[in-house]
Amino acid sequence: MNFTQTKYYYPYISPFDPCKPIRVKSYSTPPNLYLGFQPPHSPQFKTAREALFHGTLWPSLASTYPPKGERE
Amino acid sequence: MWYYEKKLQYPVKVSTCNPTLAKYLIEQYGGADGELSAALRYLNQRYTIPNKVVGLLNDIGTEEFAHLEMIATMIYKLTKDAKPEELVEAGLGAHFVNHDHALFYQNAAGNSWTANYIQAKGDPIADIYEDIAAEEKARATYQWIIDVSDDPMLNDSLKFLREREIVHSQRFREAAEILKEERDRKKVF
């Protein structure tokens, strides 16, 4: 399944906003929102060490934060 | 009954003495969506949930205590050698007066932990949906702490904890599917 782990939206910017506007806002949409029942025999990380660093056995559930680009 | 393994679930390393960060981390220690709330919520709901998901609540509730001691270790390391003046500067003056260097179950704003943070409605759907929401809130809290933290070694452990919230949410979502499954229906695989 194809999905992105970050979604973006463009809030309204008033000409009278006091702070420097953040034009693009983002929020996390991690894999658990899309997976449904995890399929049996999902591929696992090659080594236990890699799995520990990711915090999960399965690449299909792995999620990074902050996302690759800037957060906002 | 529990067996105790004398090690952390994931290593905790702290690169700088930074009591301000400890003040924020307290949110995940004794805050509404913190690890203490999570552990007590799940382990308490175990008794009145259908058999099929009792084990899940047991396992996740137990893991939350492992997370709790990771957070405790972080807070302890960030503050243990801080002088009273440094704690005052970090906004922890009131904490020092109240508790010295001891940890306490309170949130980042200094409110003591309360059982009002958690619920046990006895309705399996209501309880599991609360658990899913709790995991997403904890995930978000970790994100905001990572956003204000500039300690890469500590952030590595926080990213691990954030990922565990995602995995727990996934399992609770699967539990919700199990609870609403029609009985006696033929399954086609």
Side-chain angles (χ1 to χ4, degrees), chain A residues 28 30-33 35-38 52-56 58 61-66 71, chain B residues 9-10 136 139 143-144 146-147 159-160 162-164 166-167 169-171 173-174 177-178:
Chain A
S28 256
N32 58 315
L33 302 177
L35 194 57
F37 264 108
Q38 184 179 350
L52 178 67
F53 285 156
H54 281 92
T56 174
W58 303 276
L61 264 170
S63 169
T64 52
Y65 188 89
R71 194 171 87 80
Chain B
Q9 191 191 6
Y10 188 89
E136 302 297 352
R139 168 184 60 76
Q143 291 170 192
W144 313 154
I146 290 168
D147 285 350
K159 284 170 191 176
F160 172 86
R162 173 182 176 273
E163 175 65 33
R164 296 310 299 159
I166 292 169
V167 175
S169 170
Q170 166 69 20
R171 298 299 170 234
R173 284 162 196 270
E174 288 170 351
E177 292 303 314
I178 290 170

Side-chain angles (χ1 to χ4, degrees), chain B residues 136-157:
Chain B
E136 302 297 352
K137 286 189 277 183
R139 168 184 60 76
T141 308
Y142 279 121
Q143 291 170 192
W144 313 154
I145 297 174
I146 290 168
D147 285 350
V148 296
S149 157
D150 54 2
D151 187 330
M153 285 155 99
L154 196 80
N155 280 359
D156 184 57
S157 306

